[in-house]
């Protein structure tokens, strides 16, 4: 381990010759050159959008029916695409190429709206991120338990009820989260995000294939124009389930809360807004196709009995090995999605801690650690990052073990944040006089 202590902030020395890393290695704001492309930005978006919630879209469609279900999915995709393009234009204040950068969603709101709206934006954004982190912990543990349970069903020929506790799997996911949470920032998780995006398409494709095979097996499209009917459920329950379905679909498209942070990883030229708009349109288009297919074929396969989760809800019991692959893919995806989602929250706390305690070595200094210098680059260890992120992951692990039903609460939080973060602020900001 190197004894060298280096500052947490990168310096910008324009006096250095380009071949020695001067201006050629830095962006206009003095930070190291961003290297993100439309593909890495798309991977980040898909990782955060195509979560395991995609597997609940068949249930959501079952509550709304053949008319309202696909229509609502399409409308949410259109709204998300439009407002995300508006939000991407707010990355820089003033000129879209040379204007001041806004590194976070809150900074964009502060530059364009200011006042109480900044605090409101921050409260909603970070409350959502915290809730989503807990939801990912629960979802990953359910998939890990589902692997054990499906194998148990197979071995006992469905005679054993196979009750599996998800608590040990939450702990295992938390341990993995502690290790990966030490990745410093968005710029260094591109590979993890790409792997996670591939995994999301893997389990989504398996869910879609199983839905199609179920329809082919029965030879009929189940379901109705208006969804689950009153009589099967009460009128009050029908209304409540329909609202839940809208929340599930809204939550499935809620990625705007980290859009600016993703955009801050993109290189220029071309301008960051152009790249981000292309990445948004590409990602939302691809995910909407998957959403439509899985929601519709899942509903066609099971009708009103569509499970809340196509893979962990045991709508399918075989082939068990394919279900295992799908659930492994869900876990790998959620490991990456957890890090993509939490990075803005991590950065927010660390930035404000550095601002409050600028002279603290514990908060601001980094230590070069390189056990294998011939193979790996030196890892920059920051003690505050190590302690604070570990505490955060521990909390997001303990809460779901004590409150397993918190998964429903996090879904409500995500749906509640859709209007202000995905619609109101992106539409309001570009039309302000100071924009």
């Amino acid at each position: 381990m190197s004894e060298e202590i280096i500052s947490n902030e990168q310096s910008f020395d324009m006096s250095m010759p380009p071949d020695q890393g001067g201006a050629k290695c830095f962006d206009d704001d003095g930070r190291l050159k961003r290297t993100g492309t439309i593909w890495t930005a798309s991977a980040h978006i898909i990782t955060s959008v195509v979560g395991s919630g995609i597997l609940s879209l068949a249930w959501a469609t079952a509550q709304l029916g053949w008319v309202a279900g696909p229509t609502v999915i399409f409308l949410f995709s259109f709204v998300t695409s439009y407002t995300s393009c508006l939000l991407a234009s707010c990355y820089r204040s003033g000129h879209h190429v040379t204007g001041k950068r806004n590194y976070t969603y809150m900074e964009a709101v502060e530059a364009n709206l200011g006042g109480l709206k900044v605090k409101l934006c921050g409260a909603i954004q970070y409350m959502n991120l915290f809730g989503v982190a807990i939801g990912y912990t629960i979802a990953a543990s359910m998939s890990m338990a589902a692997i054990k349970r499906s194998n148990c069903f197979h071995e006992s020929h469905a005679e054993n009820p196979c009750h599996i506790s998800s608590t040990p799997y939450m702990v295992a996911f938390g341990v993995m989260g502690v290790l990966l949470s030490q990745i410093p920032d968005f710029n260094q998780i591109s590979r993890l995000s790409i792997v996670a995006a591939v995994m999301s398409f893997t389990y989504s494709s398996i869910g879609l294939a199983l839905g199609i095979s179920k329809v082919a097996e029965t030879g009929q499209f189940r379901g109705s124009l208006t969804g689950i009917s009153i009589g099967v459920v009460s009128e009050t329950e029908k209304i409540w389930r329909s609202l839940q379905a809208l929340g599930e679909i809204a939550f499935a498209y809620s990625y705007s809360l980290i859009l600016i942070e993703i955009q801050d990883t993109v290189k220029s030229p071309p301008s960051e807004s152009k790249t981000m708009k292309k990445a948004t349109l590409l990602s939302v288009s691809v995910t909407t196709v998957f959403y439509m297919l899985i929601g519709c074929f899942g509903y066609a396969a099971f009708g009103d009995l569509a499970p809340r989760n196509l893979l962990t809800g045991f709508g399918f019991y075989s082939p068990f090995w394919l279900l295992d692959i799908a659930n492994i893919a869900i876990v790998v995806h959620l490991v990456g999605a957890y890090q993509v989602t939490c990075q803005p929250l991590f950065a927010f706390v660390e930035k404000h801690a550095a601002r409050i305690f600028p002279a603290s070595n514990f908060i601001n200094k980094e230590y070069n650690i390189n056990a294998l210098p011939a193979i790996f680059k030196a890892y920059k260890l920051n003690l505050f990052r190590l302690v604070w992120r570990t505490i955060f992951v521990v909390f997001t692990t303990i809460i779901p073990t004590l409150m397993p039903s918190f998964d429903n609460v996090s879904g409500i939080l995500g749906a509640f944040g859709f209007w202000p973060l995905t619609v109101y602020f992106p539409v309001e900001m570009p039309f302000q006089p100071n924009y």
Side-chain angles (χ1 to χ4, degrees):
M1 181 176 72
S2 172
E3 297 297 329
E4 177 190 2
I5 301 177
I6 61 176
S7 170
N8 193 32
E9 297 291 332
Q10 296 289 346
S11 60
F12 182 36
D13 187 3
M14 289 293 294
S15 64
M16 294 176 61
D19 60 342
Q20 293 182 18
K24 191 176 181 180
C25 296
F26 293 88
D27 275 326
D28 57 307
D29 60 344
R31 298 191 177 187
L32 287 174
K33 270 198 174 296
R34 293 153 178 85
T35 58
T37 64
I38 184 176
W39 304 112
T40 59
S42 297
H44 287 319
I45 294 171
I46 291 172
T47 298
S48 59
V49 174
V50 187
S52 60
I54 189 176
L55 300 174
S56 67
L57 292 179
W59 179 88
T61 306
Q63 312 315 307
L64 300 173
W66 280 116
V67 176
T71 301
V72 169
I73 293 174
F74 174 77
L75 287 176
F76 272 103
S77 71
F78 175 78
V79 170
T80 301
S81 297
Y82 176 70
T83 58
S84 295
C85 288
L86 290 178
L87 182 59
S89 300
C90 300
Y91 173 66
R92 288 183 183 265
S93 298
H95 195 273
H96 69 285
V97 175
T98 59
K100 176 185 174 296
R101 296 174 185 263
N102 299 307
Y103 302 115
T104 66
Y105 197 130
M106 277 187 69
E107 288 187 18
V109 174
E110 183 176 15
N112 293 282
L113 301 177
L116 181 62
K117 292 180 180 179
V118 178
K119 296 180 180 179
L120 179 62
C121 170
I124 296 174
Q125 180 186 11
Y126 296 122
M127 180 174 64
N128 270 269
L129 293 176
F130 182 72
V132 170
I134 294 175
Y136 282 162
T137 302
I138 296 173
S141 67
M142 288 174 60
S143 290
M144 286 187 271
I147 296 171
K148 181 71 174 178
R149 194 177 174 201
S150 68
N151 291 332
C152 175
F153 273 139
H154 177 73
E155 293 170 0
S156 66
H157 304 286
E159 295 178 0
N160 189 334
C162 301
H163 296 299
I164 307 294
S165 172
S166 60
T167 300
Y169 301 107
M170 290 183 187
V171 174
F173 185 80
V175 171
M176 182 63 68
V178 168
L179 296 175
L180 292 177
S181 68
Q182 297 308 309
I183 299 175
D185 52 45
F186 253 126
N187 291 311
Q188 300 183 41
I189 61 173
S190 295
R191 292 181 182 177
L192 177 63
S193 193
I194 291 171
V195 171
V198 171
M199 291 298 102
S200 68
F201 284 123
T202 298
Y203 68 74
S204 298
S205 299
I206 291 174
L208 174 60
L210 291 174
I212 294 174
S213 66
K214 186 77 171 180
V215 172
E217 180 184 335
T218 59
Q220 60 178 328
F221 276 75
R222 298 177 179 174
S224 63
L225 294 178
T226 58
I228 191 167
S229 58
I230 297 174
V232 178
V233 296
S234 66
E235 184 175 348
T236 302
E237 189 175 4
K238 169 70 174 178
I239 295 173
W240 174 243
R241 285 189 172 206
S242 297
L243 292 175
Q244 281 185 303
L246 292 174
E248 293 281 358
I249 297 171
F251 187 55
Y253 279 106
S254 296
Y255 82 96
S256 296
L257 69 171
I258 59 172
L259 184 145
I260 295 293
E261 285 81 354
I262 294 174
Q263 190 170 351
D264 191 43
T265 68
V266 174
K267 66 181 179 181
S268 63
S271 68
E272 300 87 356
S273 62
K274 287 185 179 179
T275 300
M276 200 63 192
K277 288 174 183 178
K278 291 179 180 179
T280 292
L281 294 175
L282 172 64
S283 304
V284 175
S285 298
V286 171
T287 55
T288 299
V289 171
F290 268 85
Y291 283 6
M292 285 287 193
L293 290 174
I294 290 178
C296 292
F297 274 101
Y299 183 36
F302 296 101
D304 291 348
L305 299 179
R308 195 67 181 256
N309 187 303
L310 278 178
L311 298 177
T312 63
F314 286 89
F316 304 102
Y317 290 90
S318 62
F320 80 98
W321 58 269
L322 188 60
L323 291 172
D324 287 352
I325 292 174
N327 280 298
I328 290 171
I330 290 175
V331 173
V332 175
H333 168 252
L334 291 176
V335 167
Y338 184 98
Q339 300 306 320
V340 170
T341 300
C342 292
Q343 280 295 337
L345 182 54
F346 292 157
F348 173 77
V349 172
E350 289 156 16
K351 178 181 177 180
H352 280 267
R355 182 178 298 173
I356 296 171
F357 304 102
S360 171
N361 287 342
F362 175 74
I363 293 175
N364 298 295
K365 295 297 181 179
E366 292 183 339
Y367 301 83
N368 277 343
I369 298 178
N370 197 350
L372 299 172
I375 302 176
F376 300 107
K377 293 181 179 180
Y379 174 75
K380 296 178 180 180
L381 174 66
N382 177 271
L383 296 179
F384 177 71
R385 181 173 65 226
L386 174 65
V387 173
W388 132 248
R389 295 190 183 188
T390 299
I391 292 173
F392 176 86
V393 176
V394 169
F395 265 98
T396 59
T397 303
I398 291 176
I399 290 176
T401 61
L402 300 177
M403 300 172 58
S405 62
F406 191 91
D407 191 31
N408 295 327
V409 177
S410 65
I412 294 172
L413 289 175
F416 174 74
F418 183 85
W419 163 253
L421 298 178
T422 304
V423 179
Y424 175 72
F425 288 125
V427 170
E428 182 78 4
M429 286 190 289
F431 303 105
Q432 295 304 304
N434 60 332
Y435 175 71

